[in-house]
Amino acid sequence: MMSTPRPHVRQTLHLSIDPSPYEPPPMSLSPPSSNSPPSSLMSSTTASSSTADSSTMPTATFPIIYSVLCLHDFDSDDPDHLPFSKNEILEIVKQEESGWWAAMRKGFTRVGWIPRAYVQPLSEEMADKLWNVREELRAYEYSAEQLYNTAPIATSVQIYDPPRRQPSRKQSTDVASDLWRIANKRAREDQERILSEDRALPASPSMLAAINKPTPPTPREERHRSNSSPSHRSGSSRDKRDANNVTSPKVSVDKIKQLTGSEDAVDWVIARQNSLMPWYLRPQYADQLRLDKDGNIRMATLPALVERLATPQNTKALASEESFRDAFLMTFRTFTTADTLFEMLVDRFRMNPPDDLTADSQFNEWKEKKLQPTRNRVLTVFTVWLEDHRLLEEEPHIAQRLTDFLRLITPPSQLAGVANLIIEKIQSLTFSPPQIFSPGTPKRKDKNWAEVELAKQDPANIAEQLCLLEFKLYSRISPQECLRSAKTKAHGDIANLTAFCATYDRLSAWVKMSILTSDMLSKRASTVDFWIKVAEKCKQLNNHASMSALINGLMSTVIQRLHLTWAHSHRKQTLEALVRFNEPTGGFHAYRTLLQATEGPCVPFIGMYLTDISHIHEQYSDETITTAISTHSSSSSSSLISSSFINPTPSNGSSKEPFICFQKRQRWYELISFMLKFQKRPYNIAESETTQIFISNHLTHTTSKDTAWFWNKSQEVQHLEMENADIRRGLEEAGFLNS
Amino acid sequence: MAEGSNYDFLFKVVLIGDSGVGKSNLLSRFTRNEFNLESKSTIGVEFATRSINVDGKTVKAQIWDTAGQERYRAITSAYYRGAVGALLVYDIAKHATYVNVTRWLKELRDHADSNIVIMLVGNKSDLKHLRAVPTEEAKAFSTENGLSFIETSALDASNVEAAFQNILTDIYRIVSSKSLEQSADPIKPPTETLNVSTAEPAQNQGGKCC
């Protein structure tokens, strides 16, 4: 795989992996040579090094530069490597440009190499925080924390985990859907293999044909490897290996200083690399990109975004590239149409060589380093769009156009195979829609619950069946609907979102109705208690949507005013403990905190996210950006400098293209991903047909009553209660009642 | 949250009205776009706050925006607890949003403190050519129902400042004259003033609650 001999290629690297995160050749830094095996790099106490990856990284004294969170399992038999599992926190003692970093476990002395792409650097604060989190929850906690950080950070974690990335779910017994999933994965792997045989790893955004040195694996490969073999190794064997490999720390301070690069240097190198790149390889619209200090896109024109999308990037962060692609594909409909995007991608695929190429060598280089990678990339984008971003659901007509386009890619083109795979994929998706959300367990035949009155129902059963009902509704909500909800004008359909929200109101109305129509005080009180039990159970099942609706009903004015009923309730305290989750204070702070800690199947309450979506819409406006740009072109904004540094030549694109605030889309993407992330984890609860009928009958029934009915009925009941209270009091005074 | 004690009064005001009438827009204008979206941790969006000066006193307004949650009809009731003011917003270019004002009023009367100060806000006054709700009509309706009234444009920022200033001043006047009855029980039957067009007159007999 490597052709150019490089003196400093480490002999210790045996992994045969395609080039992935591209790292420029170090300028002033020299990585370990073959004579100095990396394992000899040991913690020395004197050297000081600093890393300056923007502001997020703390500067510390050698040996420990900072901590990282492991996002994936890393297994390796190489004694120089440090295998680790997801969620561990390791300490980095040295960074190397190749993407291999030297790390150790806290409290241990063994240092080994780890692939940078598998881990996420942590700020000191974050590391402290995560140390206090249960190990298996760390990655989750970290991504949750990231969500609310304003500026997207340098390497944002993949939060929206599209279906392809999930391992086939064991809990689902639905054979058909499993088969589909497996087939799906296999096709994808085939495709990736074909692409990588072309010497271009499509899914890894960062590669340049020029790389000729071994680079660390990226999590994607790791997934493949763990697919082929069970990735669980026994802990004991690892411990043994650890013990065998404790080497004595001995390395010269100077050497480490020399070796340890700062991230600033890397930035500089990349920028320089770019400016040294022959003109015909440079991005055409780079001057229409505005980046923040972490290299994320703040705003850009559409051509610049599409170019970015279709160009393998030589940035450091693989994760942020994937996140860009996913964010783009989720949100592009807010600034362009599917047809325009399709055409622009096809144009990039068919791009012509620049007119003024003077030599054949230039043409060949252009072809090899620009055209080919772009083509691979365009096909990858189509695949991701198709598989993870609902191309068939949202714009079925594009599928036909895409098929027509792909049919034109025929041998001898190396991409013909890939094109064919995508066509097959389109067909398989069209004819067998995925049944991801099919219930995990067969339907349950039991007592005819539909006939039974509410008070005799089992609260746990009702709660469970509510879970299924709500999950079904929740899982149908598409990201597009959420985005549309932010638009002031109703663009298109948001039926699923509306249905989900409407169920909240109906459930709440059912609670009110069932209490108000109970004719006796004791019956009302027990109905109240019944619903509190259901709410409690819903909380246990993480069905927050129902829980919130039930609390809402119980806390409504029309129920709260029935003081005597409440006096006879036995579970008031339980309710009081739940009420805080319905408090809007601090944007539902209490509830958000609950949600952060929630794992496993869940139906979240999404009200406050809808507010967040419209606030993001309000906060980042496309119009203000356009004006800001025109006024601020002469200012010394760092982003302008950096982007012009990356591409000193002015693009030939006209400046009339409006700028799109991509930051806004990025935030939408993060938010919506979080909001919908539980869609992939269905409940493993058997469906009881009769209870479902019982529930849906009652929910439908509530629509027959308007708010006036509730108000009047409540007043009526309240009157009765007060009259009865007088009678009771009279009886008590007469000695007929002892209470 | 870190509320400094640099204010004399703290008022909670809710922003309600149909979806798409520009509630968030008004809010971002008034708070000068200082949503707490930036907040680091998991808190998410805070209510927006801003302090203004009334009669030499610093009045801090906490404005609770319900934008985006209009689809949850039931949820807004949770926002009303403890609110002393409500800005009921409609879009002057969309008649349906004005018709719905009745529903919102009813909801307020059902769920909020009976002393809540309500201001009707006709937003998007910049869309003159598309006006669907005559100013006079809305004004008359407001007088009839004991609401204050203003037309604003979040787009050109006209009257936004005034809308908030007015409602906060009104609240302040009430609070400083007689402190708002902090009745633990916010339930009062709808008042007779709620005689609005289509809806049947609300029932208003029925005891004050105990």
Side-chain angles (χ1 to χ4, degrees):
Chain A
M1 151 186 158
M2 278 123 273
S3 52
T4 320
R6 288 176 79 106
H8 52 257
V9 165
R10 281 209 317 269
Q11 299 301 308
T12 46
L13 296 173
H14 304 304
L15 292 167
S16 80
I17 290 156
D18 295 288
S20 73
Y22 165 73
E23 299 288 4
M27 304 292 280
S28 56
L29 324 154
S30 45
S33 72
S34 45
N35 323 341
S36 66
S39 52
S40 70
L41 165 108
M42 291 317 305
S43 34
S44 146
T45 45
T46 41
S48 78
S49 88
S50 70
T51 136
D53 180 343
S54 67
S55 55
T56 55
M57 297 207 182
T59 313
T61 343
F62 197 79
I64 288 148
I65 305 175
Y66 50 71
S67 305
V68 295
L69 174 66
C70 305
L71 300 177
H72 305 272
D73 290 343
F74 171 61
D75 199 355
S76 165
D77 293 321
D78 191 319
D80 292 330
H81 292 170
L82 182 67
F84 53 79
S85 12
K86 185 179 173 184
N87 287 319
E88 280 193 62
I89 296 176
L90 300 176
E91 295 180 324
I92 299 297
V93 296
K94 176 183 174 316
Q95 296 177 92
E96 202 193 299
E97 304 300 327
S98 67
W100 287 101
W101 289 0
M104 57 198 278
R105 288 199 172 75
K106 195 178 193 173
F108 289 81
T109 49
R110 192 200 155 204
V111 175
W113 294 102
I114 63 165
R116 183 257 173 279
Y118 279 54
V119 299
Q120 171 63 47
L122 300 172
S123 65
E124 230 169 314
E125 189 193 1
M126 180 65 79
D128 284 346
K129 204 173 222 162
L130 291 182
W131 272 115
N132 294 324
V133 173
R134 278 216 324 271
E135 190 173 318
E136 64 269 28
L137 297 180
R138 278 176 193 150
Y140 171 76
E141 172 73 17
Y142 176 78
S143 58
E145 288 285 335
Q146 290 318 107
L147 254 188
Y148 288 96
N149 286 349
T150 349
I153 51 142
T155 46
S156 73
V157 176
Q158 187 69 33
I159 308 149
Y160 183 61
D161 197 11
R164 71 182 144 96
R165 303 210 173 99
Q166 58 186 342
S168 51
R169 209 176 291 109
K170 294 288 168 286
Q171 67 197 63
S172 166
T173 56
D174 187 319
V175 179
S177 84
D178 268 350
L179 277 179
W180 176 82
R181 230 178 279 122
I182 290 162
N184 188 18
K185 178 180 270 174
R186 193 164 300 147
R188 181 112 174 186
E189 281 163 9
D190 287 349
Q191 179 187 332
E192 277 171 6
R193 206 184 50 238
I194 294 175
L195 281 176
S196 50
E197 278 160 5
D198 279 357
R199 280 288 166 271
L201 191 65
S204 108
S206 348
M207 65 130 294
L208 206 76
I211 325 174
N212 285 311
K213 60 185 207 160
T215 39
T218 61
R220 194 171 291 273
E221 283 91 6
E222 170 69 3
R223 258 201 323 280
H224 286 233
R225 273 187 282 145
S226 52
N227 281 344
S228 54
S229 68
S231 67
H232 285 290
R233 46 166 199 269
S234 72
S236 60
S237 78
R238 185 164 105 208
D239 294 345
K240 207 163 120 200
R241 195 157 59 221
D242 277 4
N244 288 342
N245 286 303
V246 176
T247 35
S248 58
K250 197 193 292 171
V251 80
S252 85
V253 176
D254 280 351
K255 183 123 193 169
I256 290 170
K257 265 188 179 168
Q258 212 182 7
L259 297 177
T260 312
S262 78
E263 297 282 326
D264 267 352
V266 177
D267 279 340
W268 186 81
V269 167
I270 289 177
R272 194 175 154 80
Q273 181 80 11
N274 246 322
S275 62
L276 293 177
M277 200 188 264
W279 60 271
Y280 47 88
L281 295 184
R282 277 178 229 160
Q284 207 178 341
Y285 299 103
D287 67 328
Q288 294 177 20
L289 278 177
R290 301 284 181 272
L291 306 176
D292 66 13
K293 63 177 169 40
D294 296 323
N296 295 304
I297 300 171
R298 280 191 8 227
M299 51 191 153
T301 61
L302 183 57
L305 285 174
V306 174
E307 179 178 58
R308 174 86 159 211
L309 188 70
T311 311
Q313 291 299 310
N314 49 359
T315 56
K316 294 161 285 170
L318 185 104
S320 86
E321 275 310 303
E322 280 199 17
S323 144
F324 165 72
R325 190 177 57 205
D326 282 331
F328 183 95
L329 288 174
M330 184 195 276
T331 61
F332 72 85
R333 297 170 189 92
T334 64
F335 50 80
T336 184
T337 63
D339 288 274
T340 312
L341 175 63
F342 174 80
E343 282 150 22
M344 290 177 90
L345 284 171
V346 170
D347 283 350
R348 289 220 71 83
F349 188 90
R350 295 182 176 150
M351 81 178 132
N352 292 319
D355 293 336
D356 1 350
L357 288 182
T358 47
D360 275 358
S361 62
Q362 283 186 349
F363 175 76
N364 288 336
E365 194 184 5
W366 174 83
K367 198 174 163 194
E368 182 197 344
K369 292 185 183 169
K370 181 138 184 172
L371 182 65
Q372 276 308 327
T374 300
R375 290 189 158 181
N376 286 338
R377 191 57 184 232
V378 166
L379 291 189
T380 307
V381 169
F382 278 130
T383 313
V384 176
W385 184 2
L386 182 68
E387 291 184 356
D388 302 335
H389 295 278
R390 303 169 51 89
L391 183 144
L392 285 172
E393 290 92 334
E394 301 288 343
E395 39 267 322
H397 68 286
I398 297 287
Q400 189 51 50
R401 296 186 71 180
L402 179 58
T403 311
D404 295 344
F405 160 70
L406 292 168
R407 289 235 161 89
L408 296 177
I409 307 170
T410 47
S413 166
Q414 302 145 304
L415 294 173
V418 181
N420 222 359
L421 271 174
I422 301 178
I423 293 173
E424 279 169 23
K425 165 65 78 186
I426 293 173
Q427 279 161 356
S428 74
L429 285 178
T430 311
F431 295 114
S432 59
Q435 295 218 318
I436 298 174
F437 309 117
S438 57
T441 26
K443 285 185 181 166
R444 201 168 72 197
K445 287 268 180 265
D446 51 12
K447 195 165 153 186
N448 193 0
W449 287 108
E451 307 290 310
V452 179
E453 62 175 309
L454 184 68
K456 303 254 168 61
Q457 296 276 354
D458 171 17
N461 180 39
I462 294 283
E464 284 180 356
Q465 299 303 315
L466 278 174
C467 276
L468 292 182
L469 175 83
E470 297 260 29
F471 186 82
K472 230 178 260 175
L473 294 166
Y474 167 67
S475 62
R476 283 188 199 134
I477 302 172
S478 76
Q480 296 316 308
E481 288 183 288
C482 302
L483 287 170
R484 280 185 216 126
S485 79
K487 294 278 175 185
T488 32
K489 288 172 203 88
H491 279 296
D493 186 25
I494 53 167
N496 295 323
L497 184 63
T498 311
F500 182 62
C501 298
T503 305
Y504 184 100
D505 287 351
R506 287 188 191 172
L507 192 50
S508 169
W510 182 17
V511 170
K512 291 187 268 190
M513 219 163 131
S514 61
I515 296 169
L516 292 175
T517 52
S518 300
D519 45 4
M520 274 156 31
L521 181 63
S522 60
K523 220 169 155 193
R524 275 197 298 278
S526 65
T527 311
V528 165
D529 286 348
F530 175 85
W531 286 120
I532 296 175
K533 273 187 220 158
V534 179
E536 227 184 331
K537 184 72 185 165
C538 283
K539 170 155 188 289
Q540 284 167 18
L541 291 165
N542 293 330
N543 176 1
H544 301 149
S546 298
M547 174 189 81
S548 177
L550 299 175
I551 300 170
N552 188 285
L554 290 164
M555 294 306 288
S556 66
T557 312
V558 292
I559 300 303
Q560 282 293 306
R561 73 201 311 198
L562 307 176
H563 297 292
L564 269 181
T565 301
W566 284 102
H568 284 74
S569 158
H570 301 295
R571 310 188 80 84
K572 221 176 155 183
Q573 261 102 34
T574 319
L575 178 63
E576 272 156 19
L578 294 177
V579 164
R580 61 198 179 97
F581 299 124
N582 260 30
E583 268 298 314
T585 315
F588 287 87
H589 182 190
Y591 174 61
R592 282 183 204 253
T593 313
L594 174 73
L595 195 58
Q596 291 300 326
T598 302
E599 283 267 22
C602 170
V603 184
F605 163 69
I606 58 168
M608 70 284 180
Y609 290 130
L610 297 177
T611 307
D612 292 356
I613 289 174
S614 54
H615 280 179
I616 290 171
H617 181 55
E618 216 48 67
Q619 197 183 33
Y620 302 95
S621 142
D622 292 327
E623 290 96 55
T624 51
I625 281 166
T626 331
T627 47
I629 293 203
S630 53
T631 56
H632 119 330
S633 54
S634 63
S635 83
S636 58
S637 146
S638 63
S639 59
L640 281 176
I641 287 176
S642 69
S643 61
S644 56
F645 188 24
I646 285 173
N647 184 12
T649 38
S651 87
N652 44 10
S654 79
S655 56
K656 277 179 195 155
E657 268 306 324
F659 270 74
I660 294 155
C661 177
F662 197 75
Q663 224 172 4
K664 170 173 169 172
R665 274 79 192 180
Q666 187 77 37
R667 298 222 48 199
W668 268 337
Y669 160 72
E670 287 163 11
L671 190 80
I672 293 172
S673 305
F674 192 78
M675 181 169 137
L676 300 182
K677 74 171 183 171
F678 295 105
Q679 287 186 336
K680 296 174 272 104
R681 301 277 311 268
Y683 281 90
N684 193 13
I685 295 174
E687 188 173 292
S688 156
E689 218 167 321
T690 55
T691 312
Q692 288 293 339
I693 293 171
F694 175 80
I695 294 174
S696 80
N697 283 349
H698 276 90
L699 291 181
T700 319
H701 190 47
T702 58
T703 50
S704 61
K705 306 284 188 256
D706 62 357
T707 47
W709 181 89
F710 286 101
W711 188 263
N712 295 334
K713 188 76 191 167
S714 159
Q715 247 177 4
E716 199 179 290
V717 172
Q718 193 196 13
H719 270 208
L720 268 172
E721 280 194 359
M722 284 193 297
E723 279 168 25
N724 289 344
D726 289 342
I727 297 169
R728 275 179 92 87
R729 205 171 300 127
L731 286 171
E732 264 171 46
E733 278 163 11
F736 286 105
L737 281 177
N738 319 313
S739 58
Chain B
M1 27 168 268
E3 292 274 53
S5 54
N6 49 348
Y7 56 85
D8 301 301
F9 293 93
L10 178 66
F11 295 147
K12 172 176 165 182
V13 175
V14 288
L15 259 176
I16 52 173
D18 276 11
S19 169
V21 294
K23 293 186 289 292
S24 307
N25 217 305
L26 280 175
L27 181 60
S28 67
R29 276 288 174 185
F30 178 64
T31 58
R32 306 204 173 103
N33 219 350
E34 286 163 9
F35 287 123
N36 230 338
L37 274 169
E38 313 282 338
S39 69
K40 272 247 159 68
S41 63
T42 56
I43 296 171
V45 187
E46 263 295 0
F47 35 74
T49 59
R50 190 184 146 189
S51 299
I52 64 160
N53 208 299
V54 183
D55 292 353
K57 295 270 196 274
T58 307
V59 171
K60 183 162 186 164
Q62 260 185 9
I63 301 146
W64 297 47
D65 185 9
T66 60
Q69 298 189 48
E70 301 86 353
R71 269 165 216 98
Y72 285 99
R73 295 206 151 202
I75 197 66
T76 32
S77 60
Y79 281 84
Y80 298 138
R81 209 160 297 136
V84 291
L87 288 167
L88 206 180
V89 190
Y90 69 93
D91 179 347
I92 67 148
K94 273 189 232 138
H95 198 260
T97 66
Y98 175 69
V99 173
N100 270 340
V101 163
T102 321
R103 181 180 82 77
W104 287 108
L105 273 181
K106 211 169 166 101
E107 201 171 288
L108 272 174
R109 298 265 143 91
D110 283 2
H111 298 287
D113 188 288
S114 56
N115 288 310
I116 193 166
V117 178
I118 305 169
M119 175 178 265
L120 186 63
V121 181
N123 193 28
K124 309 199 185 172
S125 59
D126 49 288
L127 300 176
K128 286 188 188 74
H129 53 297
L130 296 173
R131 179 183 285 278
V133 184
T135 313
E136 289 312 313
E137 188 186 327
K139 207 177 254 171
F141 176 83
S142 304
T143 321
E144 214 172 289
N145 289 279
L147 320 171
S148 14
F149 172 70
I150 198 165
E151 281 191 354
T152 56
S153 162
L155 194 72
D156 59 25
S158 67
N159 269 348
V160 175
E161 211 46 43
F164 286 93
Q165 189 88 34
N166 289 357
I167 193 170
L168 292 171
T169 310
D170 286 354
I171 297 168
Y172 170 77
R173 292 275 144 74
I174 294 173
V175 170
S176 54
S177 62
K178 52 153 197 161
S179 62
L180 267 180
E181 289 164 49
Q182 291 297 324
S183 63
D185 191 338
I187 302 118
K188 295 279 163 67
T191 57
E192 280 162 89
T193 44
L194 194 74
N195 271 329
V196 249
S197 49
T198 55
E200 34 159 46
Q203 288 223 340
N204 41 38
Q205 63 275 54
K208 301 250 183 253
C209 11
C210 31

